[in-house]
mmCIF file of all heavy atoms in Angstrom:
data_model
loop_
_atom_site.group_PDB
_atom_site.id
_atom_site.type_symbol
_atom_site.label_atom_id
_atom_site.label_comp_id
_atom_site.label_asym_id
_atom_site.label_seq_id
_atom_site.Cartn_x
_atom_site.Cartn_y
_atom_site.Cartn_z
ATOM 1 N N VAL A 21 36.635 2.784 44.412
ATOM 2 C CA VAL A 21 37.281 3.593 45.451
ATOM 3 C C VAL A 21 38.725 3.876 45.087
ATOM 4 O O VAL A 21 39.253 4.976 45.340
ATOM 5 C CB VAL A 21 37.185 2.897 46.823
ATOM 6 C CG1 VAL A 21 37.929 3.699 47.893
ATOM 7 C CG2 VAL A 21 35.729 2.716 47.228
ATOM 8 N N ALA A 22 39.404 2.907 44.474
ATOM 9 C CA ALA A 22 40.797 3.101 44.050
ATOM 10 C C ALA A 22 40.921 4.257 43.063
ATOM 11 O O ALA A 22 41.961 4.930 43.008
ATOM 12 C CB ALA A 22 41.343 1.817 43.439
ATOM 13 N N GLU A 23 39.864 4.503 42.285
ATOM 14 C CA GLU A 23 39.868 5.674 41.403
ATOM 15 C C GLU A 23 40.017 6.953 42.233
ATOM 16 O O GLU A 23 40.680 7.904 41.820
ATOM 17 C CB GLU A 23 38.567 5.736 40.595
ATOM 18 C CG GLU A 23 38.410 4.648 39.562
ATOM 19 C CD GLU A 23 39.297 4.859 38.352
ATOM 20 O OE1 GLU A 23 39.636 6.019 38.046
ATOM 21 O OE2 GLU A 23 39.652 3.849 37.708
ATOM 22 N N GLY A 24 39.394 6.975 43.406
ATOM 23 C CA GLY A 24 39.497 8.138 44.285
ATOM 24 C C GLY A 24 40.892 8.342 44.838
ATOM 25 O O GLY A 24 41.345 9.481 44.994
ATOM 26 N N VAL A 25 41.600 7.259 45.125
ATOM 27 C CA VAL A 25 42.981 7.360 45.620
ATOM 28 C C VAL A 25 43.857 8.046 44.576
ATOM 29 O O VAL A 25 44.607 8.986 44.872
ATOM 30 C CB VAL A 25 43.546 5.978 45.971
ATOM 31 C CG1 VAL A 25 45.019 6.082 46.346
ATOM 32 C CG2 VAL A 25 42.754 5.340 47.111
ATOM 33 N N GLN A 26 43.756 7.555 43.348
ATOM 34 C CA GLN A 26 44.618 8.104 42.292
ATOM 35 C C GLN A 26 44.216 9.544 41.948
ATOM 36 O O GLN A 26 45.083 10.379 41.658
ATOM 37 C CB GLN A 26 44.555 7.216 41.054
ATOM 38 C CG GLN A 26 44.928 5.764 41.332
ATOM 39 C CD GLN A 26 46.208 5.633 42.154
ATOM 40 O OE1 GLN A 26 47.228 6.243 41.828
ATOM 41 N NE2 GLN A 26 46.163 4.842 43.224
ATOM 42 N N ALA A 27 42.920 9.846 41.991
ATOM 43 C CA ALA A 27 42.472 11.224 41.757
ATOM 44 C C ALA A 27 42.991 12.154 42.844
ATOM 45 O O ALA A 27 43.320 13.321 42.584
ATOM 46 C CB ALA A 27 40.950 11.274 41.696
ATOM 47 N N THR A 28 43.099 11.659 44.067
ATOM 48 C CA THR A 28 43.615 12.474 45.163
ATOM 49 C C THR A 28 45.103 12.765 44.980
ATOM 50 O O THR A 28 45.570 13.885 45.239
ATOM 51 C CB THR A 28 43.360 11.774 46.518
ATOM 52 O OG1 THR A 28 41.956 11.577 46.675
ATOM 53 C CG2 THR A 28 43.891 12.613 47.674
ATOM 54 N N TRP A 29 45.867 11.746 44.538
ATOM 55 C CA TRP A 29 47.278 11.999 44.230
ATOM 56 C C TRP A 29 47.427 13.057 43.141
ATOM 57 O O TRP A 29 48.267 13.955 43.227
ATOM 58 C CB TRP A 29 47.963 10.701 43.781
ATOM 59 C CG TRP A 29 48.359 9.789 44.907
ATOM 60 C CD1 TRP A 29 47.852 8.561 45.196
ATOM 61 C CD2 TRP A 29 49.349 10.050 45.912
ATOM 62 N NE1 TRP A 29 48.462 8.028 46.310
ATOM 63 C CE2 TRP A 29 49.391 8.920 46.772
ATOM 64 C CE3 TRP A 29 50.208 11.111 46.173
ATOM 65 C CZ2 TRP A 29 50.248 8.833 47.864
ATOM 66 C CZ3 TRP A 29 51.080 11.030 47.257
ATOM 67 C CH2 TRP A 29 51.088 9.907 48.082
ATOM 68 N N LEU A 30 46.595 12.971 42.118
ATOM 69 C CA LEU A 30 46.619 13.988 41.065
ATOM 70 C C LEU A 30 46.273 15.364 41.620
ATOM 71 O O LEU A 30 46.870 16.375 41.239
ATOM 72 C CB LEU A 30 45.624 13.617 39.958
ATOM 73 C CG LEU A 30 46.058 12.558 38.944
ATOM 74 C CD1 LEU A 30 44.908 12.237 38.000
ATOM 75 C CD2 LEU A 30 47.278 13.011 38.160
ATOM 76 N N ALA A 31 45.311 15.417 42.532
ATOM 77 C CA ALA A 31 44.889 16.687 43.129
ATOM 78 C C ALA A 31 46.040 17.364 43.858
ATOM 79 O O ALA A 31 46.250 18.576 43.728
ATOM 80 C CB ALA A 31 43.722 16.449 44.084
ATOM 81 N N VAL A 32 46.787 16.581 44.630
ATOM 82 C CA VAL A 32 47.914 17.140 45.377
ATOM 83 C C VAL A 32 48.987 17.670 44.424
ATOM 84 O O VAL A 32 49.466 18.809 44.561
ATOM 85 C CB VAL A 32 48.511 16.084 46.328
ATOM 86 C CG1 VAL A 32 49.787 16.610 46.982
ATOM 87 C CG2 VAL A 32 47.494 15.704 47.399
ATOM 88 N N ALA A 33 49.358 16.850 43.449
ATOM 89 C CA ALA A 33 50.433 17.236 42.532
ATOM 90 C C ALA A 33 50.058 18.467 41.709
ATOM 91 O O ALA A 33 50.814 19.446 41.639
ATOM 92 C CB ALA A 33 50.768 16.062 41.609
ATOM 93 N N VAL A 34 48.894 18.423 41.099
ATOM 94 C CA VAL A 34 48.477 19.532 40.241
ATOM 95 C C VAL A 34 48.192 20.773 41.073
ATOM 96 O O VAL A 34 48.496 21.900 40.663
ATOM 97 C CB VAL A 34 47.243 19.128 39.414
ATOM 98 C CG1 VAL A 34 46.740 20.301 38.592
ATOM 99 C CG2 VAL A 34 47.582 17.960 38.497
ATOM 100 N N GLY A 35 47.618 20.584 42.258
ATOM 101 C CA GLY A 35 47.319 21.717 43.122
ATOM 102 C C GLY A 35 48.553 22.491 43.527
ATOM 103 O O GLY A 35 48.542 23.734 43.556
ATOM 104 N N LEU A 36 49.634 21.789 43.834
ATOM 105 C CA LEU A 36 50.879 22.469 44.211
ATOM 106 C C LEU A 36 51.474 23.239 43.033
ATOM 107 O O LEU A 36 51.994 24.346 43.192
ATOM 108 C CB LEU A 36 51.878 21.450 44.754
ATOM 109 C CG LEU A 36 51.517 20.829 46.113
ATOM 110 C CD1 LEU A 36 52.501 19.723 46.478
ATOM 111 C CD2 LEU A 36 51.492 21.904 47.219
ATOM 112 N N VAL A 37 51.383 22.646 41.846
ATOM 113 C CA VAL A 37 51.880 23.342 40.648
ATOM 114 C C VAL A 37 51.078 24.616 40.398
ATOM 115 O O VAL A 37 51.633 25.697 40.144
ATOM 116 C CB VAL A 37 51.823 22.416 39.416
ATOM 117 C CG1 VAL A 37 52.131 23.194 38.141
ATOM 118 C CG2 VAL A 37 52.799 21.264 39.585
ATOM 119 N N LEU A 38 49.755 24.522 40.479
ATOM 120 C CA LEU A 38 48.903 25.692 40.263
ATOM 121 C C LEU A 38 49.129 26.760 41.323
ATOM 122 O O LEU A 38 49.082 27.963 41.034
ATOM 123 C CB LEU A 38 47.432 25.272 40.241
ATOM 124 C CG LEU A 38 46.971 24.470 39.028
ATOM 125 C CD1 LEU A 38 45.517 24.055 39.192
ATOM 126 C CD2 LEU A 38 47.141 25.283 37.755
ATOM 127 N N LEU A 39 49.376 26.334 42.556
ATOM 128 C CA LEU A 39 49.663 27.283 43.628
ATOM 129 C C LEU A 39 50.914 28.089 43.307
ATOM 130 O O LEU A 39 50.920 29.326 43.433
ATOM 131 C CB LEU A 39 49.827 26.527 44.949
ATOM 132 C CG LEU A 39 50.427 27.305 46.128
ATOM 133 C CD1 LEU A 39 49.576 28.528 46.458
ATOM 134 C CD2 LEU A 39 50.549 26.396 47.351
ATOM 135 N N ALA A 40 51.966 27.411 42.881
ATOM 136 C CA ALA A 40 53.215 28.098 42.570
ATOM 137 C C ALA A 40 53.046 29.054 41.386
ATOM 138 O O ALA A 40 53.475 30.218 41.432
ATOM 139 C CB ALA A 40 54.310 27.074 42.269
ATOM 140 N N ILE A 41 52.398 28.571 40.337
ATOM 141 C CA ILE A 41 52.195 29.426 39.163
ATOM 142 C C ILE A 41 51.312 30.623 39.509
ATOM 143 O O ILE A 41 51.581 31.760 39.091
ATOM 144 C CB ILE A 41 51.570 28.612 38.013
ATOM 145 C CG1 ILE A 41 52.560 27.555 37.524
ATOM 146 C CG2 ILE A 41 51.165 29.527 36.854
ATOM 147 C CD1 ILE A 41 51.970 26.589 36.513
ATOM 148 N N GLY A 42 50.270 30.370 40.273
ATOM 149 C CA GLY A 42 49.353 31.438 40.644
ATOM 150 C C GLY A 42 50.029 32.558 41.409
ATOM 151 O O GLY A 42 49.765 33.752 41.170
ATOM 152 N N GLN A 43 50.903 32.191 42.327
ATOM 153 C CA GLN A 43 51.605 33.216 43.098
ATOM 154 C C GLN A 43 52.525 34.044 42.197
ATOM 155 O O GLN A 43 52.687 35.243 42.389
ATOM 156 C CB GLN A 43 52.412 32.574 44.230
ATOM 157 C CG GLN A 43 51.567 31.904 45.306
ATOM 158 C CD GLN A 43 50.775 32.890 46.158
ATOM 159 O OE1 GLN A 43 50.937 34.098 46.055
ATOM 160 N NE2 GLN A 43 49.898 32.368 47.004
ATOM 161 N N LEU A 44 53.114 33.403 41.201
ATOM 162 C CA LEU A 44 54.025 34.113 40.302
ATOM 163 C C LEU A 44 53.300 35.122 39.418
ATOM 164 O O LEU A 44 53.841 36.196 39.115
ATOM 165 C CB LEU A 44 54.777 33.104 39.417
ATOM 166 C CG LEU A 44 55.849 32.254 40.116
ATOM 167 C CD1 LEU A 44 56.396 31.208 39.154
ATOM 168 C CD2 LEU A 44 56.986 33.143 40.623
ATOM 169 N N VAL A 45 52.089 34.787 38.998
ATOM 170 C CA VAL A 45 51.397 35.650 38.028
ATOM 171 C C VAL A 45 50.282 36.477 38.658
ATOM 172 O O VAL A 45 49.574 37.193 37.948
ATOM 173 C CB VAL A 45 50.823 34.804 36.872
ATOM 174 C CG1 VAL A 45 51.920 34.001 36.195
ATOM 175 C CG2 VAL A 45 49.694 33.890 37.337
ATOM 176 N N ALA A 46 50.115 36.400 39.971
ATOM 177 C CA ALA A 46 48.981 37.072 40.621
ATOM 178 C C ALA A 46 48.934 38.564 40.324
ATOM 179 O O ALA A 46 47.879 39.118 39.988
ATOM 180 C CB ALA A 46 49.037 36.837 42.135
ATOM 181 N N VAL A 47 50.076 39.250 40.423
ATOM 182 C CA VAL A 47 50.092 40.708 40.237
ATOM 183 C C VAL A 47 49.755 41.115 38.801
ATOM 184 O O VAL A 47 48.841 41.915 38.576
ATOM 185 C CB VAL A 47 51.438 41.303 40.684
ATOM 186 C CG1 VAL A 47 51.515 42.788 40.307
ATOM 187 C CG2 VAL A 47 51.611 41.139 42.193
ATOM 188 N N PRO A 48 50.450 40.578 37.782
ATOM 189 C CA PRO A 48 50.115 41.019 36.419
ATOM 190 C C PRO A 48 48.712 40.626 35.971
ATOM 191 O O PRO A 48 48.054 41.389 35.250
ATOM 192 C CB PRO A 48 51.180 40.338 35.552
ATOM 193 C CG PRO A 48 51.733 39.238 36.376
ATOM 194 C CD PRO A 48 51.639 39.685 37.787
ATOM 195 N N VAL A 49 48.229 39.465 36.401
ATOM 196 C CA VAL A 49 46.908 39.037 35.953
ATOM 197 C C VAL A 49 45.811 39.885 36.586
ATOM 198 O O VAL A 49 44.872 40.325 35.910
ATOM 199 C CB VAL A 49 46.684 37.545 36.264
ATOM 200 C CG1 VAL A 49 45.245 37.140 35.986
ATOM 201 C CG2 VAL A 49 47.623 36.690 35.431
ATOM 202 N N THR A 50 45.912 40.146 37.878
ATOM 203 C CA THR A 50 44.892 40.984 38.519
ATOM 204 C C THR A 50 44.959 42.414 37.992
ATOM 205 O O THR A 50 43.926 43.088 37.872
ATOM 206 C CB THR A 50 45.058 40.994 40.047
ATOM 207 O OG1 THR A 50 46.413 41.325 40.384
ATOM 208 C CG2 THR A 50 44.703 39.651 40.658
ATOM 209 N N ALA A 51 46.166 42.886 37.661
ATOM 210 C CA ALA A 51 46.290 44.232 37.087
ATOM 211 C C ALA A 51 45.599 44.309 35.727
ATOM 212 O O ALA A 51 44.921 45.294 35.412
ATOM 213 C CB ALA A 51 47.759 44.610 36.952
ATOM 214 N N ALA A 52 45.745 43.251 34.927
ATOM 215 C CA ALA A 52 45.123 43.239 33.606
ATOM 216 C C ALA A 52 43.601 43.168 33.700
ATOM 217 O O ALA A 52 42.890 43.923 33.027
ATOM 218 C CB ALA A 52 45.644 42.055 32.794
ATOM 219 N N LEU A 53 43.098 42.274 34.575
ATOM 220 C CA LEU A 53 41.651 42.125 34.691
ATOM 221 C C LEU A 53 41.014 43.278 35.449
ATOM 222 O O LEU A 53 39.892 43.681 35.160
ATOM 223 C CB LEU A 53 41.312 40.804 35.383
ATOM 224 C CG LEU A 53 41.586 39.532 34.592
ATOM 225 C CD1 LEU A 53 41.218 38.318 35.417
ATOM 226 C CD2 LEU A 53 40.808 39.537 33.289
ATOM 227 N N GLY A 54 41.727 43.803 36.461
ATOM 228 C CA GLY A 54 41.174 44.875 37.275
ATOM 229 C C GLY A 54 41.432 46.259 36.739
ATOM 230 O O GLY A 54 41.068 47.261 37.380
ATOM 231 N N ASN A 55 42.076 46.346 35.570
ATOM 232 C CA ASN A 55 42.360 47.642 34.934
ATOM 233 C C ASN A 55 43.262 48.507 35.811
ATOM 234 O O ASN A 55 43.187 49.734 35.785
ATOM 235 C CB ASN A 55 41.056 48.388 34.614
ATOM 236 C CG ASN A 55 41.241 49.419 33.520
ATOM 237 O OD1 ASN A 55 42.131 49.294 32.674
ATOM 238 N ND2 ASN A 55 40.416 50.450 33.532
ATOM 239 N N GLY A 56 44.124 47.858 36.612
ATOM 240 C CA GLY A 56 45.067 48.584 37.455
ATOM 241 C C GLY A 56 44.385 49.309 38.605
ATOM 242 O O GLY A 56 43.196 49.169 38.846
ATOM 243 N N GLY A 57 45.134 50.079 39.361
ATOM 244 C CA GLY A 57 44.586 50.929 40.401
ATOM 245 C C GLY A 57 44.109 50.174 41.626
ATOM 246 O O GLY A 57 44.564 49.073 41.940
ATOM 247 N N ALA A 58 43.130 50.782 42.326
ATOM 248 C CA ALA A 58 42.681 50.276 43.619
ATOM 249 C C ALA A 58 42.008 48.908 43.504
ATOM 250 O O ALA A 58 42.148 48.059 44.396
ATOM 251 C CB ALA A 58 41.725 51.276 44.260
ATOM 252 N N ILE A 59 41.259 48.672 42.444
ATOM 253 C CA ILE A 59 40.574 47.384 42.281
ATOM 254 C C ILE A 59 41.596 46.256 42.168
ATOM 255 O O ILE A 59 41.472 45.213 42.814
ATOM 256 C CB ILE A 59 39.651 47.405 41.049
ATOM 257 C CG1 ILE A 59 38.504 48.395 41.259
ATOM 258 C CG2 ILE A 59 39.106 46.007 40.767
ATOM 259 C CD1 ILE A 59 37.588 48.533 40.052
ATOM 260 N N ALA A 60 42.631 46.462 41.361
ATOM 261 C CA ALA A 60 43.662 45.439 41.193
ATOM 262 C C ALA A 60 44.415 45.190 42.494
ATOM 263 O O ALA A 60 44.741 44.043 42.824
ATOM 264 C CB ALA A 60 44.626 45.846 40.088
ATOM 265 N N GLU A 61 44.705 46.240 43.249
ATOM 266 C CA GLU A 61 45.407 46.077 44.530
ATOM 267 C C GLU A 61 44.570 45.260 45.505
ATOM 268 O O GLU A 61 45.094 44.387 46.218
ATOM 269 C CB GLU A 61 45.721 47.449 45.117
ATOM 270 C CG GLU A 61 46.784 48.221 44.352
ATOM 271 C CD GLU A 61 47.028 49.608 44.943
ATOM 272 O OE1 GLU A 61 46.469 49.884 46.024
ATOM 273 O OE2 GLU A 61 47.772 50.391 44.332
ATOM 274 N N ALA A 62 43.283 45.540 45.555
ATOM 275 C CA ALA A 62 42.402 44.766 46.438
ATOM 276 C C ALA A 62 42.340 43.312 45.993
ATOM 277 O O ALA A 62 42.391 42.386 46.818
ATOM 278 C CB ALA A 62 41.005 45.386 46.444
ATOM 279 N N ALA A 63 42.271 43.100 44.689
ATOM 280 C CA ALA A 63 42.161 41.739 44.157
ATOM 281 C C ALA A 63 43.387 40.896 44.488
ATOM 282 O O ALA A 63 43.265 39.744 44.908
ATOM 283 C CB ALA A 63 41.942 41.787 42.646
ATOM 284 N N VAL A 64 44.572 41.442 44.318
ATOM 285 C CA VAL A 64 45.781 40.643 44.525
ATOM 286 C C VAL A 64 45.968 40.292 45.997
ATOM 287 O O VAL A 64 46.468 39.209 46.328
ATOM 288 C CB VAL A 64 47.016 41.362 43.953
ATOM 289 C CG1 VAL A 64 47.488 42.499 44.856
ATOM 290 C CG2 VAL A 64 48.158 40.370 43.725
ATOM 291 N N SER A 65 45.552 41.173 46.904
ATOM 292 C CA SER A 65 45.691 40.864 48.338
ATOM 293 C C SER A 65 44.831 39.665 48.725
ATOM 294 O O SER A 65 45.253 38.820 49.529
ATOM 295 C CB SER A 65 45.302 42.087 49.178
ATOM 296 O OG SER A 65 43.913 42.365 49.067
ATOM 297 N N TRP A 66 43.640 39.568 48.156
ATOM 298 C CA TRP A 66 42.751 38.439 48.438
ATOM 299 C C TRP A 66 43.247 37.169 47.748
ATOM 300 O O TRP A 66 43.269 36.089 48.331
ATOM 301 C CB TRP A 66 41.340 38.776 47.955
ATOM 302 C CG TRP A 66 40.282 37.792 48.351
ATOM 303 C CD1 TRP A 66 39.480 37.845 49.456
ATOM 304 C CD2 TRP A 66 39.885 36.615 47.632
ATOM 305 N NE1 TRP A 66 38.615 36.778 49.472
ATOM 306 C CE2 TRP A 66 38.845 36.001 48.362
ATOM 307 C CE3 TRP A 66 40.306 36.026 46.445
ATOM 308 C CZ2 TRP A 66 38.214 34.837 47.947
ATOM 309 C CZ3 TRP A 66 39.691 34.852 46.019
ATOM 310 C CH2 TRP A 66 38.650 34.273 46.769
ATOM 311 N N LEU A 67 43.689 37.318 46.497
ATOM 312 C CA LEU A 67 44.048 36.151 45.697
ATOM 313 C C LEU A 67 45.265 35.422 46.251
ATOM 314 O O LEU A 67 45.317 34.188 46.235
ATOM 315 C CB LEU A 67 44.306 36.580 44.255
ATOM 316 C CG LEU A 67 44.593 35.461 43.253
ATOM 317 C CD1 LEU A 67 43.409 34.500 43.169
ATOM 318 C CD2 LEU A 67 44.912 36.029 41.879
#
């Protein structure tokens, strides 16, 4: 069970880092994958 405690601490720490990075790169990454235009705009609003 103690393995679960430490895994949860890792989840919180890594999750917050990924959240911050994701918000920073959301627009360029969705534009690249969505080939720009309406598809990319829809994708970034959801992401």
Side-chain angles (χ1 to χ4, degrees):
V21 177
E23 291 286 333
V25 174
Q26 304 313 310
T28 301
W29 280 113
L30 281 175
V32 173
V34 176
L36 291 174
V37 171
L38 289 176
L39 167 59
I41 294 173
Q43 294 291 353
L44 288 174
V45 303
V47 172
V49 172
T50 52
L53 290 179
N55 202 26
I59 294 177
E61 290 178 8
V64 77
S65 68
W66 188 93
L67 184 61

